[in-house]
């Protein structure tokens, strides 16, 4: 099996701001695995919040190149287990390889990934569209630019959080979800949940810092007027059980948990524990988004708009029209690199990376 890597800079259509910072472009590495005339694709982005640069990710992948290229290709779970022993400190790198392996495995069978997993995608939830932090006028402009979505995810963590939601509510009757990205205190979360519930908000994602005390987490869990979904507190498989009794649901992101292989297990475990399930994304191309979309049959909520936020991208894959997700005709995850890539989407083989802390 042949392994190759490419770097891409993904320019955003608009600056993207959350409580931790602002992003104008995203850098990503695409992992390709080739075998028997088929190619599997996996993508992961750099992120300073989790201390992963493109240089560190690529170094980790190079460390396991001999294992990957000599692997007698069987089920991706077997490869994931072997890689996990060597990449336990870099799940971002592990995710890129695992997504490519799952994609390749399904392509070799002429099936989509969810079909290989025995899932039915005939009826799936829609994706939300994210309104990043900005002035209220600009946030209203962003909403107006994407009319007709059934669900909008609003990034919060400002001094005007409730006023933002009030003014956006006047512009649409769509469902709202809010994401504070660790920006609130426990008492603030409880208080705001009451007002947000009256404004038609469905749930609050990760209001407290990831290192918040168990007492604060339980206070919010017991007193909130809205469900609380864990993001930064649910990174890997062992976190799922820890979320029970502290959160009402989990948001799984492939780069954080190590790829599709553990993501399937996490979502199935969450459902068995009575937790609501969600898959989110970074700002990434259609390669990463198409991988996340394979998990739709296991989800209550989806946030897969990362590629829509881009001005240019190097790939095609699943499409999302006003929240409705359509799979491509290709097997595997369904993504493909474009034959012609715009100059703005730059591949840089040796240049230093500029990772983001936005997710």
């Amino acid at each position: 099996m042949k392994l190759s890597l490419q770097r891409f800079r993904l320019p955003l259509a608009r600056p993207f701001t959350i409580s931790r910072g602002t992003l104008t472009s995203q850098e990503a590495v695409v992992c390709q695995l080739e075998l028997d005339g088929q190619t599997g694709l996996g993508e992961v982005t750099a992120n300073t919040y989790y201390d992963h640069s493109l240089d560190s990710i690529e170094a980790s992948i190079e460390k396991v190149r001999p294992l990957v290229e000599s692997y007698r290709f069987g089920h991706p779970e077997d490869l994931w287990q072997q890689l996990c022993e060597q990449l336990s400190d870099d799940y971002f790198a592990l995710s890129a390889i695992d997504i490519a392996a799952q994609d390749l495995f399904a392509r070799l069978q002429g099936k989509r990934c969810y079909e290989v997993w025995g899932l039915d995608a005939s009826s799936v939830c829609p994706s939300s569209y994210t309104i990043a932090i900005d002035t209220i006028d600009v946030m209203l402009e962003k909403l107006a630019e994407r009319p007709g979505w059934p669900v909008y995810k609003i990034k919060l963590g400002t001094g005007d959080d409730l006023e933002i939601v009030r003014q956006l509510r006047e512009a649409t009757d769509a469902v709202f979800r809010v994401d504070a990205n660790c920006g609130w205190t426990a008492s603030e979360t409880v208080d705001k949940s009451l007002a947000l519930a009256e404004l038609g908000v469905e749930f609050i994602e990760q209001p407290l810092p990831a290192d918040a005390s168990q007492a604060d987490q339980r206070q919010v869990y017991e007193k909130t007027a809205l469900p609380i979904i864990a993001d930064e507190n649910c990174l890997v498989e062992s976190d799922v059980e820890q979320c029970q009794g502290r959160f009402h649901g989990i948001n799984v992101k492939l780069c954080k948990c190590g790829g599709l292989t553990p993501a399937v297990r996490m979502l199935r475990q969450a459902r068995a524990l009575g937790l609501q399930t969600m898959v989110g994304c970074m700002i990434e191309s259609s390669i990463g988004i198409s991988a996340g979309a394979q998990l739709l049959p296991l989800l209550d909520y989806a946030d897969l708009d990362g590629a829509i936020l881009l001005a240019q991208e190097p790939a095609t894959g699943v499409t999302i029209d006003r929240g409705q997700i359509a799979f491509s005709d290709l097997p595997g995850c369904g993504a493909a690199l474009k034959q012609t890539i715009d100059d703005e989407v730059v591949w840089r083989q040796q240049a230093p990376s500029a990772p983001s802390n936005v997710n």
Side-chain angles (χ1 to χ4, degrees):
M1 185 159 57
K2 179 182 177 183
L3 183 156
S4 59
L5 302 173
Q6 291 189 31
R7 290 186 179 192
F8 292 96
R9 184 191 297 117
L10 309 173
L12 274 71
R14 278 181 175 267
F16 189 88
T17 299
I18 66 169
S19 61
R20 288 196 293 265
T22 299
L23 194 66
T24 58
S25 67
Q26 178 68 287
E27 290 197 342
V29 60
V30 172
C31 175
Q32 299 182 66
L33 297 178
E34 299 177 44
L35 180 69
D36 295 341
Q38 294 286 348
T39 300
L41 300 175
E43 177 186 13
V44 70
T45 59
N47 193 294
T48 56
Y49 182 78
Y50 294 103
D51 197 25
H52 292 292
S53 68
L54 294 194
D55 290 337
S56 69
I57 293 167
E58 289 185 348
S60 294
I61 293 174
E62 290 298 335
K63 182 174 70 174
V64 297
R65 178 185 288 274
L67 189 161
V68 174
E69 294 195 328
S70 64
Y71 180 69
R72 292 188 176 183
F73 199 66
H75 199 283
E77 288 189 8
D78 299 330
L79 177 60
W80 188 90
Q81 191 59 46
Q82 294 183 45
L83 291 172
C84 189
E85 296 173 3
Q86 298 189 41
L87 294 178
S88 59
D89 60 344
D90 194 343
Y91 272 32
F92 275 53
L94 179 58
S95 176
I97 300 172
D98 181 70
I99 293 170
Q102 288 279 2
D103 186 28
L104 177 58
F105 184 70
R107 285 175 187 262
L108 289 169
Q109 299 178 64
K111 297 180 179 180
R112 292 172 175 153
C113 287
Y114 67 79
E115 293 174 324
V116 173
W117 304 330
L119 301 175
D120 178 10
S122 58
S123 178
V124 297
C125 62
S127 172
S128 57
Y129 179 79
T130 303
I131 309 294
I133 293 172
D134 214 310
T135 65
I136 295 178
D137 287 345
V138 172
M139 293 179 79
L140 286 166
E141 289 177 9
K142 293 176 181 179
L143 182 68
E145 288 173 356
R146 294 286 180 175
W149 283 65
V151 184
Y152 294 94
K153 177 176 171 178
I154 306 167
K155 293 285 189 176
L156 299 178
T158 76
D160 298 315
D161 286 343
L162 294 181
E163 185 60 25
I164 287 171
V165 179
R166 288 190 187 102
Q167 293 207 30
L168 291 175
R169 171 52 69 212
E170 292 179 3
T172 178
D173 59 359
V175 172
F176 284 168
R177 299 166 185 166
V178 302
D179 183 1
N181 279 113
C182 307
W184 295 347
T185 65
S187 59
E188 187 180 9
T189 301
V190 173
D191 291 343
K192 287 183 176 179
S193 72
L194 298 169
L196 292 172
E198 294 181 356
L199 289 167
V201 171
E202 188 173 27
F203 63 69
I204 302 171
E205 185 179 340
Q206 194 69 41
L208 304 184
D211 60 356
S213 67
Q214 292 187 25
D216 282 351
Q217 290 177 350
R218 290 190 180 279
Q219 176 188 348
V220 169
Y221 177 79
E222 293 170 359
K223 296 183 178 180
T224 179
L226 292 170
I228 306 296
I229 306 298
D231 182 353
E232 285 84 352
N233 275 111
C234 190
L235 307 183
V236 297
E237 289 182 74
S238 59
D239 293 332
V240 177
E241 188 173 3
Q242 299 301 314
C243 288
Q244 190 177 30
R246 300 181 193 175
F247 296 89
H248 301 89
I250 63 168
N251 180 12
V252 174
K253 291 183 178 175
L254 300 182
C255 61
K256 300 178 186 181
C257 72
L260 287 166
T261 295
V264 172
R265 296 195 293 251
M266 290 174 72
L267 294 167
R268 285 175 166 157
Q269 181 186 8
R271 286 196 159 182
L273 293 172
L275 293 166
Q276 298 173 32
T277 56
M278 175 180 175
V279 161
C281 63
M282 302 300 191
I283 295 173
E284 53 198 271
S285 81
S286 290
I287 296 172
I289 298 303
S290 297
Q294 301 305 306
L295 299 165
L296 282 165
L298 294 171
L299 305 184
D300 297 306
Y301 314 114
D303 179 33
L304 295 171
D305 64 342
I308 295 174
L309 301 173
L310 299 174
Q312 305 282 349
E313 71 154 317
T316 59
V318 301
T319 58
I320 305 178
D321 181 13
R322 299 188 180 190
Q324 304 307 309
I325 303 171
F327 294 96
S328 79
D329 294 331
L330 296 175
C333 294
L337 285 169
K338 295 177 180 177
Q339 293 184 349
T340 302
I341 298 175
D342 294 303
D343 291 340
E344 290 185 54
V345 185
V346 181
W347 171 31
R348 300 188 302 160
Q349 187 172 13
Q350 297 297 334
S353 60
S356 80
N357 66 351
V358 176
N359 64 85

